[in-house]
Amino acid sequence: MFGIPTETKYMAGSVFGNILKCSTWGESHGAAIGAVLDGCPAGLAIDENYIQKFLDRRKPGQSDFSTKRNESDKVEILSGVFEGKTTGTPISLLIRNTSQISKDYSNIASVYRPGHADYTFDSKYGFRDYRGGGRSSGRETAGRVAAGAIAIRLLEEFGISFMTYVESVGDISVDYNNFDKEEIFRNMLYMPDKDAADKASEYLRNLTADKDSSGAVVKCIISGCPAGLGDPVFDKLDARLAGAIMSIGAVKSFEVGNGREAAGLKGSQNNDEFYSENGIVKKKTNNSGGILGGISDGSDIVLTAAFKPTPSIYKAQNTVNTDKENVSIEIKGRHDPIIAPRAVVVVEAMSALVIADALLINCSSKLDNLKKIYG
Ligand SMILES: Cc1cc2nc3c(=O)[nH]c(=O)nc-3n(C[C@H](O)[C@H](O)[C@H](O)COP(=O)(O)O)c2cc1C
């Protein structure tokens, strides 16, 4: 009937993607968390061990700078995979919660943590699962990482790969003269520069002693994407990536290519000049970050996400309670003094879900592509 939608894809914001659809479910202190990934083509080789490697990068308790919550984050594939290959049906992924200490959160049941989602959840729903932040907890991102790992596996088939790392912690930045890709997995902060990682560790140790937390910047470089991914108007590839990355808790800004810096440049400085090499169009520079007009241009896609400092700090803070009285709060529970190192793999997973979705959408963008399938 006119005006009445007969179908809606809207499910309270928990579903993401067009052809490759990921929904996450679960709360921090519920029985389990997880994801359902629908739309993944049949025949993709995948198993729990592959997904687990990504979850282990996000897992709590791995370093001095991550929450001491001791979760194994073991993933179980419940459906959609048979004899080591995807079947083309929904892939259901389960991660049990095993280390909840909900009593630590009893003092936030009636008091709003500054910088967290307690006040806004109460304003919206009038009721909230306060244990560990419920659905607003960073723990929700485990489901995204499990689903994103499958997207990464799919992209591997097409030679598309990711390099994601922490670029700065507070005001300590990677020195690109010391850049060492191997170093990313050698230090607890996932920084590609040992000196910077050592300085940042020292900074974080002092902050922890002072019951405080730090912000940080994460960079993600996606290599091997063909030109042509993304759509011209509302579904521009950079718009889709921005939405995906900004949906991660604590992300406060997103940039593609040189981002904000472009605003201070002249066109002659900012434009990436094209040249042709053996009939292949290339660019001398990559200020655009691999996307022009919302469509991938075949060069590396370069994304930057800025994370705010962890809002739950142990220092005493002024706030308000549910009776709208002024009170002070000393937060308990187990919190990371910095979010970004554990979120590196979340940024990678969300980017992969967008790129894999765009790859599938692009199959129908021109007749030639359809003829390759049906011709
Ligand atoms: C991987 C990850 C871990 C996080 N860990 C914590 C944490 O230990 N304590 C905390 O207060 N916030 C943590 N957060 C951030 C909160 O989820 C987030 O700040 C909160 O939901 C408010 O949303 P906003 O910062 O986007 O406004 C984490 C986020 C992510 C992505």
Side-chain angles (χ1 to χ4, degrees), residues 152-187:
I152 291 170
R153 181 68 270 286
L154 177 64
L155 294 172
E156 265 178 10
E157 295 281 325
F158 302 94
I160 299 171
S161 61
F162 293 77
M163 178 173 66
T164 318
Y165 56 87
V166 172
E167 189 178 51
S168 67
V169 171
D171 62 7
I172 302 156
S173 294
V174 163
D175 174 350
Y176 279 93
N177 294 316
N178 297 339
F179 188 93
D180 176 1
K181 190 179 169 183
E182 307 302 319
E183 184 58 33
I184 298 173
F185 289 96
R186 282 202 290 253
N187 64 73

PDB file of all heavy atoms in Angstrom, residues 152-187:
ATOM      1  N   ILE A 152      38.043 -10.748   5.010  1.00  0.00           N
ATOM      2  CA  ILE A 152      39.481 -10.667   4.678  1.00  0.00           C
ATOM      3  C   ILE A 152      39.903 -11.923   3.893  1.00  0.00           C
ATOM      4  O   ILE A 152      40.630 -11.843   2.911  1.00  0.00           O
ATOM      5  CB  ILE A 152      40.326 -10.471   5.963  1.00  0.00           C
ATOM      6  CG1 ILE A 152      40.067  -9.062   6.528  1.00  0.00           C
ATOM      7  CG2 ILE A 152      41.820 -10.686   5.696  1.00  0.00           C
ATOM      8  CD1 ILE A 152      40.637  -8.791   7.903  1.00  0.00           C
ATOM      9  N   ARG A 153      39.392 -13.082   4.334  1.00  0.00           N
ATOM     10  CA  ARG A 153      39.689 -14.352   3.623  1.00  0.00           C
ATOM     11  C   ARG A 153      39.176 -14.277   2.176  1.00  0.00           C
ATOM     12  O   ARG A 153      39.845 -14.698   1.231  1.00  0.00           O
ATOM     13  CB  ARG A 153      39.009 -15.490   4.421  1.00  0.00           C
ATOM     14  CG  ARG A 153      39.134 -16.935   3.965  1.00  0.00           C
ATOM     15  CD  ARG A 153      40.513 -17.492   4.077  1.00  0.00           C
ATOM     16  NE  ARG A 153      41.257 -17.257   2.869  1.00  0.00           N
ATOM     17  CZ  ARG A 153      41.077 -17.903   1.707  1.00  0.00           C
ATOM     18  NH1 ARG A 153      40.218 -18.873   1.617  1.00  0.00           N
ATOM     19  NH2 ARG A 153      41.788 -17.602   0.642  1.00  0.00           N
ATOM     20  N   LEU A 154      37.957 -13.718   2.020  1.00  0.00           N
ATOM     21  CA  LEU A 154      37.382 -13.576   0.676  1.00  0.00           C
ATOM     22  C   LEU A 154      38.265 -12.662  -0.178  1.00  0.00           C
ATOM     23  O   LEU A 154      38.568 -12.967  -1.338  1.00  0.00           O
ATOM     24  CB  LEU A 154      35.961 -12.997   0.795  1.00  0.00           C
ATOM     25  CG  LEU A 154      35.209 -12.710  -0.509  1.00  0.00           C
ATOM     26  CD1 LEU A 154      34.943 -13.999  -1.275  1.00  0.00           C
ATOM     27  CD2 LEU A 154      33.871 -12.008  -0.221  1.00  0.00           C
ATOM     28  N   LEU A 155      38.710 -11.555   0.403  1.00  0.00           N
ATOM     29  CA  LEU A 155      39.515 -10.583  -0.355  1.00  0.00           C
ATOM     30  C   LEU A 155      40.886 -11.142  -0.719  1.00  0.00           C
ATOM     31  O   LEU A 155      41.451 -10.803  -1.759  1.00  0.00           O
ATOM     32  CB  LEU A 155      39.641  -9.273   0.445  1.00  0.00           C
ATOM     33  CG  LEU A 155      38.312  -8.531   0.633  1.00  0.00           C
ATOM     34  CD1 LEU A 155      38.473  -7.360   1.590  1.00  0.00           C
ATOM     35  CD2 LEU A 155      37.755  -8.052  -0.704  1.00  0.00           C
ATOM     36  N   GLU A 156      41.401 -12.034   0.140  1.00  0.00           N
ATOM     37  CA  GLU A 156      42.687 -12.697  -0.159  1.00  0.00           C
ATOM     38  C   GLU A 156      42.651 -13.400  -1.515  1.00  0.00           C
ATOM     39  O   GLU A 156      43.633 -13.432  -2.243  1.00  0.00           O
ATOM     40  CB  GLU A 156      42.964 -13.790   0.895  1.00  0.00           C
ATOM     41  CG  GLU A 156      43.835 -13.362   2.046  1.00  0.00           C
ATOM     42  CD  GLU A 156      43.990 -14.519   3.055  1.00  0.00           C
ATOM     43  OE1 GLU A 156      43.591 -15.675   2.775  1.00  0.00           O
ATOM     44  OE2 GLU A 156      44.499 -14.237   4.129  1.00  0.00           O
ATOM     45  N   GLU A 157      41.479 -13.960  -1.842  1.00  0.00           N
ATOM     46  CA  GLU A 157      41.312 -14.679  -3.112  1.00  0.00           C
ATOM     47  C   GLU A 157      41.573 -13.767  -4.301  1.00  0.00           C
ATOM     48  O   GLU A 157      41.828 -14.222  -5.408  1.00  0.00           O
ATOM     49  CB  GLU A 157      39.876 -15.238  -3.219  1.00  0.00           C
ATOM     50  CG  GLU A 157      39.548 -16.291  -2.190  1.00  0.00           C
ATOM     51  CD  GLU A 157      40.126 -17.659  -2.547  1.00  0.00           C
ATOM     52  OE1 GLU A 157      40.183 -17.992  -3.742  1.00  0.00           O
ATOM     53  OE2 GLU A 157      40.520 -18.393  -1.612  1.00  0.00           O
ATOM     54  N   PHE A 158      41.429 -12.447  -4.094  1.00  0.00           N
ATOM     55  CA  PHE A 158      41.597 -11.476  -5.186  1.00  0.00           C
ATOM     56  C   PHE A 158      42.865 -10.650  -5.003  1.00  0.00           C
ATOM     57  O   PHE A 158      43.018  -9.589  -5.615  1.00  0.00           O
ATOM     58  CB  PHE A 158      40.345 -10.574  -5.266  1.00  0.00           C
ATOM     59  CG  PHE A 158      39.099 -11.381  -5.473  1.00  0.00           C
ATOM     60  CD1 PHE A 158      38.330 -11.784  -4.383  1.00  0.00           C
ATOM     61  CD2 PHE A 158      38.740 -11.815  -6.743  1.00  0.00           C
ATOM     62  CE1 PHE A 158      37.214 -12.579  -4.561  1.00  0.00           C
ATOM     63  CE2 PHE A 158      37.625 -12.621  -6.922  1.00  0.00           C
ATOM     64  CZ  PHE A 158      36.848 -13.004  -5.831  1.00  0.00           C
ATOM     65  N   GLY A 159      43.758 -11.098  -4.112  1.00  0.00           N
ATOM     66  CA  GLY A 159      45.037 -10.414  -3.909  1.00  0.00           C
ATOM     67  C   GLY A 159      44.904  -9.098  -3.159  1.00  0.00           C
ATOM     68  O   GLY A 159      45.792  -8.246  -3.253  1.00  0.00           O
ATOM     69  N   ILE A 160      43.825  -8.935  -2.423  1.00  0.00           N
ATOM     70  CA  ILE A 160      43.634  -7.684  -1.650  1.00  0.00           C
ATOM     71  C   ILE A 160      44.101  -7.937  -0.212  1.00  0.00           C
ATOM     72  O   ILE A 160      43.679  -8.911   0.423  1.00  0.00           O
ATOM     73  CB  ILE A 160      42.157  -7.231  -1.685  1.00  0.00           C
ATOM     74  CG1 ILE A 160      41.741  -6.969  -3.150  1.00  0.00           C
ATOM     75  CG2 ILE A 160      41.928  -5.996  -0.803  1.00  0.00           C
ATOM     76  CD1 ILE A 160      40.265  -6.716  -3.347  1.00  0.00           C
ATOM     77  N   SER A 161      44.988  -7.074   0.278  1.00  0.00           N
ATOM     78  CA  SER A 161      45.553  -7.307   1.615  1.00  0.00           C
ATOM     79  C   SER A 161      45.545  -6.027   2.447  1.00  0.00           C
ATOM     80  O   SER A 161      45.382  -4.919   1.908  1.00  0.00           O
ATOM     81  CB  SER A 161      46.985  -7.839   1.483  1.00  0.00           C
ATOM     82  OG  SER A 161      47.773  -6.880   0.814  1.00  0.00           O
ATOM     83  N   PHE A 162      45.764  -6.182   3.744  1.00  0.00           N
ATOM     84  CA  PHE A 162      45.652  -5.077   4.699  1.00  0.00           C
ATOM     85  C   PHE A 162      46.937  -4.937   5.517  1.00  0.00           C
ATOM     86  O   PHE A 162      47.538  -5.936   5.894  1.00  0.00           O
ATOM     87  CB  PHE A 162      44.505  -5.358   5.682  1.00  0.00           C
ATOM     88  CG  PHE A 162      43.146  -5.339   5.027  1.00  0.00           C
ATOM     89  CD1 PHE A 162      42.738  -6.420   4.266  1.00  0.00           C
ATOM     90  CD2 PHE A 162      42.314  -4.245   5.147  1.00  0.00           C
ATOM     91  CE1 PHE A 162      41.494  -6.411   3.634  1.00  0.00           C
ATOM     92  CE2 PHE A 162      41.082  -4.226   4.526  1.00  0.00           C
ATOM     93  CZ  PHE A 162      40.678  -5.317   3.762  1.00  0.00           C
ATOM     94  N   MET A 163      47.289  -3.678   5.792  1.00  0.00           N
ATOM     95  CA  MET A 163      48.340  -3.423   6.793  1.00  0.00           C
ATOM     96  C   MET A 163      47.776  -2.336   7.718  1.00  0.00           C
ATOM     97  O   MET A 163      47.477  -1.229   7.264  1.00  0.00           O
ATOM     98  CB  MET A 163      49.626  -2.933   6.132  1.00  0.00           C
ATOM     99  CG  MET A 163      50.693  -2.611   7.175  1.00  0.00           C
ATOM    100  SD  MET A 163      52.307  -2.230   6.462  1.00  0.00           S
ATOM    101  CE  MET A 163      51.963  -0.727   5.601  1.00  0.00           C
ATOM    102  N   THR A 164      47.589  -2.688   8.977  1.00  0.00           N
ATOM    103  CA  THR A 164      46.932  -1.754   9.900  1.00  0.00           C
ATOM    104  C   THR A 164      47.787  -1.630  11.148  1.00  0.00           C
ATOM    105  O   THR A 164      48.309  -2.639  11.650  1.00  0.00           O
ATOM    106  CB  THR A 164      45.515  -2.275  10.257  1.00  0.00           C
ATOM    107  OG1 THR A 164      44.902  -2.768   9.071  1.00  0.00           O
ATOM    108  CG2 THR A 164      44.639  -1.186  10.849  1.00  0.00           C
ATOM    109  N   TYR A 165      47.949  -0.419  11.633  1.00  0.00           N
ATOM    110  CA  TYR A 165      48.840  -0.208  12.780  1.00  0.00           C
ATOM    111  C   TYR A 165      48.483   1.067  13.536  1.00  0.00           C
ATOM    112  O   TYR A 165      47.685   1.882  13.061  1.00  0.00           O
ATOM    113  CB  TYR A 165      50.303  -0.151  12.304  1.00  0.00           C
ATOM    114  CG  TYR A 165      50.593   0.895  11.250  1.00  0.00           C
ATOM    115  CD1 TYR A 165      50.914   2.200  11.593  1.00  0.00           C
ATOM    116  CD2 TYR A 165      50.531   0.583   9.897  1.00  0.00           C
ATOM    117  CE1 TYR A 165      51.179   3.158  10.625  1.00  0.00           C
ATOM    118  CE2 TYR A 165      50.792   1.532   8.925  1.00  0.00           C
ATOM    119  CZ  TYR A 165      51.120   2.813   9.283  1.00  0.00           C
ATOM    120  OH  TYR A 165      51.366   3.759   8.336  1.00  0.00           O
ATOM    121  N   VAL A 166      49.077   1.207  14.712  1.00  0.00           N
ATOM    122  CA  VAL A 166      48.891   2.434  15.499  1.00  0.00           C
ATOM    123  C   VAL A 166      49.936   3.440  15.022  1.00  0.00           C
ATOM    124  O   VAL A 166      51.140   3.158  15.042  1.00  0.00           O
ATOM    125  CB  VAL A 166      49.035   2.136  17.013  1.00  0.00           C
ATOM    126  CG1 VAL A 166      49.052   3.436  17.823  1.00  0.00           C
ATOM    127  CG2 VAL A 166      47.894   1.227  17.480  1.00  0.00           C
ATOM    128  N   GLU A 167      49.465   4.601  14.592  1.00  0.00           N
ATOM    129  CA  GLU A 167      50.378   5.613  14.044  1.00  0.00           C
ATOM    130  C   GLU A 167      50.859   6.583  15.127  1.00  0.00           C
ATOM    131  O   GLU A 167      51.983   7.084  15.066  1.00  0.00           O
ATOM    132  CB  GLU A 167      49.679   6.393  12.930  1.00  0.00           C
ATOM    133  CG  GLU A 167      50.612   7.294  12.162  1.00  0.00           C
ATOM    134  CD  GLU A 167      49.910   8.013  11.024  1.00  0.00           C
ATOM    135  OE1 GLU A 167      48.849   8.627  11.259  1.00  0.00           O
ATOM    136  OE2 GLU A 167      50.426   7.958   9.897  1.00  0.00           O
ATOM    137  N   SER A 168      49.993   6.837  16.094  1.00  0.00           N
ATOM    138  CA  SER A 168      50.438   7.698  17.205  1.00  0.00           C
ATOM    139  C   SER A 168      49.667   7.378  18.469  1.00  0.00           C
ATOM    140  O   SER A 168      48.534   6.890  18.424  1.00  0.00           O
ATOM    141  CB  SER A 168      50.308   9.178  16.840  1.00  0.00           C
ATOM    142  OG  SER A 168      48.960   9.510  16.706  1.00  0.00           O
ATOM    143  N   VAL A 169      50.322   7.649  19.596  1.00  0.00           N
ATOM    144  CA  VAL A 169      49.723   7.486  20.930  1.00  0.00           C
ATOM    145  C   VAL A 169      49.931   8.815  21.637  1.00  0.00           C
ATOM    146  O   VAL A 169      51.088   9.255  21.773  1.00  0.00           O
ATOM    147  CB  VAL A 169      50.423   6.356  21.722  1.00  0.00           C
ATOM    148  CG1 VAL A 169      49.955   6.324  23.174  1.00  0.00           C
ATOM    149  CG2 VAL A 169      50.200   5.008  21.050  1.00  0.00           C
ATOM    150  N   GLY A 170      48.857   9.475  22.066  1.00  0.00           N
ATOM    151  CA  GLY A 170      49.019  10.829  22.596  1.00  0.00           C
ATOM    152  C   GLY A 170      49.734  11.666  21.547  1.00  0.00           C
ATOM    153  O   GLY A 170      49.344  11.641  20.373  1.00  0.00           O
ATOM    154  N   ASP A 171      50.824  12.336  21.920  1.00  0.00           N
ATOM    155  CA  ASP A 171      51.540  13.095  20.882  1.00  0.00           C
ATOM    156  C   ASP A 171      52.837  12.386  20.434  1.00  0.00           C
ATOM    157  O   ASP A 171      53.713  12.991  19.841  1.00  0.00           O
ATOM    158  CB  ASP A 171      51.776  14.551  21.306  1.00  0.00           C
ATOM    159  CG  ASP A 171      52.645  14.649  22.545  1.00  0.00           C
ATOM    160  OD1 ASP A 171      53.166  13.605  22.983  1.00  0.00           O
ATOM    161  OD2 ASP A 171      52.811  15.768  23.058  1.00  0.00           O
ATOM    162  N   ILE A 172      52.923  11.071  20.695  1.00  0.00           N
ATOM    163  CA  ILE A 172      54.101  10.304  20.231  1.00  0.00           C
ATOM    164  C   ILE A 172      53.746   9.596  18.918  1.00  0.00           C
ATOM    165  O   ILE A 172      52.878   8.721  18.893  1.00  0.00           O
ATOM    166  CB  ILE A 172      54.521   9.265  21.294  1.00  0.00           C
ATOM    167  CG1 ILE A 172      54.835   9.976  22.602  1.00  0.00           C
ATOM    168  CG2 ILE A 172      55.702   8.423  20.809  1.00  0.00           C
ATOM    169  CD1 ILE A 172      54.692   9.106  23.820  1.00  0.00           C
ATOM    170  N   SER A 173      54.421  10.009  17.837  1.00  0.00           N
ATOM    171  CA  SER A 173      54.083   9.474  16.508  1.00  0.00           C
ATOM    172  C   SER A 173      55.188   8.597  15.954  1.00  0.00           C
ATOM    173  O   SER A 173      56.363   8.774  16.278  1.00  0.00           O
ATOM    174  CB  SER A 173      53.872  10.617  15.513  1.00  0.00           C
ATOM    175  OG  SER A 173      52.748  11.344  15.894  1.00  0.00           O
ATOM    176  N   VAL A 174      54.778   7.691  15.070  1.00  0.00           N
ATOM    177  CA  VAL A 174      55.737   6.875  14.325  1.00  0.00           C
ATOM    178  C   VAL A 174      56.609   7.804  13.477  1.00  0.00           C
ATOM    179  O   VAL A 174      56.105   8.737  12.864  1.00  0.00           O
ATOM    180  CB  VAL A 174      54.945   5.909  13.405  1.00  0.00           C
ATOM    181  CG1 VAL A 174      55.813   5.320  12.327  1.00  0.00           C
ATOM    182  CG2 VAL A 174      54.255   4.841  14.234  1.00  0.00           C
ATOM    183  N   ASP A 175      57.916   7.544  13.483  1.00  0.00           N
ATOM    184  CA  ASP A 175      58.827   8.261  12.589  1.00  0.00           C
ATOM    185  C   ASP A 175      58.957   7.379  11.341  1.00  0.00           C
ATOM    186  O   ASP A 175      59.478   6.260  11.423  1.00  0.00           O
ATOM    187  CB  ASP A 175      60.182   8.444  13.302  1.00  0.00           C
ATOM    188  CG  ASP A 175      61.229   9.059  12.396  1.00  0.00           C
ATOM    189  OD1 ASP A 175      60.978   9.171  11.182  1.00  0.00           O
ATOM    190  OD2 ASP A 175      62.311   9.411  12.923  1.00  0.00           O
ATOM    191  N   TYR A 176      58.458   7.863  10.206  1.00  0.00           N
ATOM    192  CA  TYR A 176      58.421   7.017   9.001  1.00  0.00           C
ATOM    193  C   TYR A 176      59.822   6.670   8.483  1.00  0.00           C
ATOM    194  O   TYR A 176      59.966   5.775   7.664  1.00  0.00           O
ATOM    195  CB  TYR A 176      57.500   7.621   7.933  1.00  0.00           C
ATOM    196  CG  TYR A 176      56.035   7.280   8.261  1.00  0.00           C
ATOM    197  CD1 TYR A 176      55.242   8.154   9.001  1.00  0.00           C
ATOM    198  CD2 TYR A 176      55.497   6.054   7.902  1.00  0.00           C
ATOM    199  CE1 TYR A 176      53.930   7.819   9.345  1.00  0.00           C
ATOM    200  CE2 TYR A 176      54.196   5.702   8.242  1.00  0.00           C
ATOM    201  CZ  TYR A 176      53.421   6.589   8.956  1.00  0.00           C
ATOM    202  OH  TYR A 176      52.141   6.231   9.310  1.00  0.00           O
ATOM    203  N   ASN A 177      60.868   7.362   8.963  1.00  0.00           N
ATOM    204  CA  ASN A 177      62.238   6.961   8.615  1.00  0.00           C
ATOM    205  C   ASN A 177      62.590   5.634   9.293  1.00  0.00           C
ATOM    206  O   ASN A 177      63.499   4.917   8.859  1.00  0.00           O
ATOM    207  CB  ASN A 177      63.260   8.013   9.072  1.00  0.00           C
ATOM    208  CG  ASN A 177      63.065   9.302   8.310  1.00  0.00           C
ATOM    209  OD1 ASN A 177      62.876   9.277   7.093  1.00  0.00           O
ATOM    210  ND2 ASN A 177      63.097  10.431   9.021  1.00  0.00           N
ATOM    211  N   ASN A 178      61.896   5.342  10.409  1.00  0.00           N
ATOM    212  CA  ASN A 178      62.164   4.083  11.151  1.00  0.00           C
ATOM    213  C   ASN A 178      61.115   3.018  10.857  1.00  0.00           C
ATOM    214  O   ASN A 178      61.034   2.028  11.583  1.00  0.00           O
ATOM    215  CB  ASN A 178      62.110   4.338  12.669  1.00  0.00           C
ATOM    216  CG  ASN A 178      63.160   5.302  13.128  1.00  0.00           C
ATOM    217  OD1 ASN A 178      64.156   5.492  12.447  1.00  0.00           O
ATOM    218  ND2 ASN A 178      62.920   5.935  14.275  1.00  0.00           N
ATOM    219  N   PHE A 179      60.275   3.243   9.851  1.00  0.00           N
ATOM    220  CA  PHE A 179      59.138   2.344   9.606  1.00  0.00           C
ATOM    221  C   PHE A 179      59.618   0.910   9.357  1.00  0.00           C
ATOM    222  O   PHE A 179      60.463   0.654   8.519  1.00  0.00           O
ATOM    223  CB  PHE A 179      58.334   2.831   8.384  1.00  0.00           C
ATOM    224  CG  PHE A 179      57.053   2.074   8.176  1.00  0.00           C
ATOM    225  CD1 PHE A 179      55.864   2.532   8.716  1.00  0.00           C
ATOM    226  CD2 PHE A 179      57.036   0.877   7.463  1.00  0.00           C
ATOM    227  CE1 PHE A 179      54.680   1.829   8.531  1.00  0.00           C
ATOM    228  CE2 PHE A 179      55.853   0.172   7.279  1.00  0.00           C
ATOM    229  CZ  PHE A 179      54.674   0.649   7.814  1.00  0.00           C
ATOM    230  N   ASP A 180      59.049  -0.031  10.111  1.00  0.00           N
ATOM    231  CA  ASP A 180      59.396  -1.448   9.948  1.00  0.00           C
ATOM    232  C   ASP A 180      58.105  -2.254  10.083  1.00  0.00           C
ATOM    233  O   ASP A 180      57.548  -2.395  11.171  1.00  0.00           O
ATOM    234  CB  ASP A 180      60.412  -1.835  11.043  1.00  0.00           C
ATOM    235  CG  ASP A 180      60.759  -3.321  11.018  1.00  0.00           C
ATOM    236  OD1 ASP A 180      60.226  -4.054  10.147  1.00  0.00           O
ATOM    237  OD2 ASP A 180      61.556  -3.744  11.878  1.00  0.00           O
ATOM    238  N   LYS A 181      57.656  -2.770   8.955  1.00  0.00           N
ATOM    239  CA  LYS A 181      56.377  -3.506   8.917  1.00  0.00           C
ATOM    240  C   LYS A 181      56.354  -4.672   9.916  1.00  0.00           C
ATOM    241  O   LYS A 181      55.344  -4.934  10.571  1.00  0.00           O
ATOM    242  CB  LYS A 181      56.171  -4.016   7.481  1.00  0.00           C
ATOM    243  CG  LYS A 181      54.819  -4.578   7.224  1.00  0.00           C
ATOM    244  CD  LYS A 181      54.674  -5.029   5.786  1.00  0.00           C
ATOM    245  CE  LYS A 181      53.374  -5.826   5.678  1.00  0.00           C
ATOM    246  NZ  LYS A 181      53.130  -6.386   4.383  1.00  0.00           N
ATOM    247  N   GLU A 182      57.499  -5.369  10.007  1.00  0.00           N
ATOM    248  CA  GLU A 182      57.567  -6.544  10.900  1.00  0.00           C
ATOM    249  C   GLU A 182      57.366  -6.146  12.362  1.00  0.00           C
ATOM    250  O   GLU A 182      56.884  -6.931  13.174  1.00  0.00           O
ATOM    251  CB  GLU A 182      58.924  -7.259  10.768  1.00  0.00           C
ATOM    252  CG  GLU A 182      59.331  -7.635   9.354  1.00  0.00           C
ATOM    253  CD  GLU A 182      58.298  -8.538   8.692  1.00  0.00           C
ATOM    254  OE1 GLU A 182      57.803  -9.420   9.383  1.00  0.00           O
ATOM    255  OE2 GLU A 182      57.986  -8.317   7.496  1.00  0.00           O
ATOM    256  N   GLU A 183      57.772  -4.911  12.686  1.00  0.00           N
ATOM    257  CA  GLU A 183      57.703  -4.442  14.074  1.00  0.00           C
ATOM    258  C   GLU A 183      56.255  -4.355  14.582  1.00  0.00           C
ATOM    259  O   GLU A 183      56.005  -4.465  15.782  1.00  0.00           O
ATOM    260  CB  GLU A 183      58.408  -3.069  14.166  1.00  0.00           C
ATOM    261  CG  GLU A 183      58.518  -2.463  15.543  1.00  0.00           C
ATOM    262  CD  GLU A 183      59.251  -3.328  16.577  1.00  0.00           C
ATOM    263  OE1 GLU A 183      60.184  -4.058  16.198  1.00  0.00           O
ATOM    264  OE2 GLU A 183      58.864  -3.269  17.763  1.00  0.00           O
ATOM    265  N   ILE A 184      55.302  -4.205  13.640  1.00  0.00           N
ATOM    266  CA  ILE A 184      53.891  -4.053  14.041  1.00  0.00           C
ATOM    267  C   ILE A 184      53.472  -5.183  14.982  1.00  0.00           C
ATOM    268  O   ILE A 184      52.800  -4.954  15.984  1.00  0.00           O
ATOM    269  CB  ILE A 184      52.958  -4.010  12.798  1.00  0.00           C
ATOM    270  CG1 ILE A 184      53.294  -2.810  11.916  1.00  0.00           C
ATOM    271  CG2 ILE A 184      51.485  -3.986  13.213  1.00  0.00           C
ATOM    272  CD1 ILE A 184      52.545  -2.779  10.582  1.00  0.00           C
ATOM    273  N   PHE A 185      53.905  -6.407  14.656  1.00  0.00           N
ATOM    274  CA  PHE A 185      53.486  -7.556  15.465  1.00  0.00           C
ATOM    275  C   PHE A 185      54.496  -7.917  16.556  1.00  0.00           C
ATOM    276  O   PHE A 185      54.349  -8.912  17.245  1.00  0.00           O
ATOM    277  CB  PHE A 185      53.203  -8.770  14.558  1.00  0.00           C
ATOM    278  CG  PHE A 185      51.947  -8.571  13.742  1.00  0.00           C
ATOM    279  CD1 PHE A 185      52.019  -8.088  12.450  1.00  0.00           C
ATOM    280  CD2 PHE A 185      50.705  -8.822  14.303  1.00  0.00           C
ATOM    281  CE1 PHE A 185      50.858  -7.882  11.712  1.00  0.00           C
ATOM    282  CE2 PHE A 185      49.542  -8.613  13.578  1.00  0.00           C
ATOM    283  CZ  PHE A 185      49.626  -8.137  12.279  1.00  0.00           C
ATOM    284  N   ARG A 186      55.531  -7.073  16.708  1.00  0.00           N
ATOM    285  CA  ARG A 186      56.529  -7.371  17.741  1.00  0.00           C
ATOM    286  C   ARG A 186      56.293  -6.609  19.032  1.00  0.00           C
ATOM    287  O   ARG A 186      56.809  -6.976  20.072  1.00  0.00           O
ATOM    288  CB  ARG A 186      57.937  -7.085  17.207  1.00  0.00           C
ATOM    289  CG  ARG A 186      58.464  -8.180  16.286  1.00  0.00           C
ATOM    290  CD  ARG A 186      59.984  -8.174  16.202  1.00  0.00           C
ATOM    291  NE  ARG A 186      60.481  -7.013  15.490  1.00  0.00           N
ATOM    292  CZ  ARG A 186      61.000  -7.039  14.266  1.00  0.00           C
ATOM    293  NH1 ARG A 186      61.100  -8.175  13.618  1.00  0.00           N
ATOM    294  NH2 ARG A 186      61.438  -5.941  13.702  1.00  0.00           N
ATOM    295  N   ASN A 187      55.565  -5.483  18.959  1.00  0.00           N
ATOM    296  CA  ASN A 187      55.335  -4.741  20.211  1.00  0.00           C
ATOM    297  C   ASN A 187      53.858  -4.734  20.573  1.00  0.00           C
ATOM    298  O   ASN A 187      52.991  -4.935  19.717  1.00  0.00           O
ATOM    299  CB  ASN A 187      55.945  -3.335  20.141  1.00  0.00           C
ATOM    300  CG  ASN A 187      55.295  -2.461  19.095  1.00  0.00           C
ATOM    301  OD1 ASN A 187      54.166  -2.019  19.273  1.00  0.00           O
ATOM    302  ND2 ASN A 187      55.992  -2.229  17.989  1.00  0.00           N
TER     303      ASN A 187
END
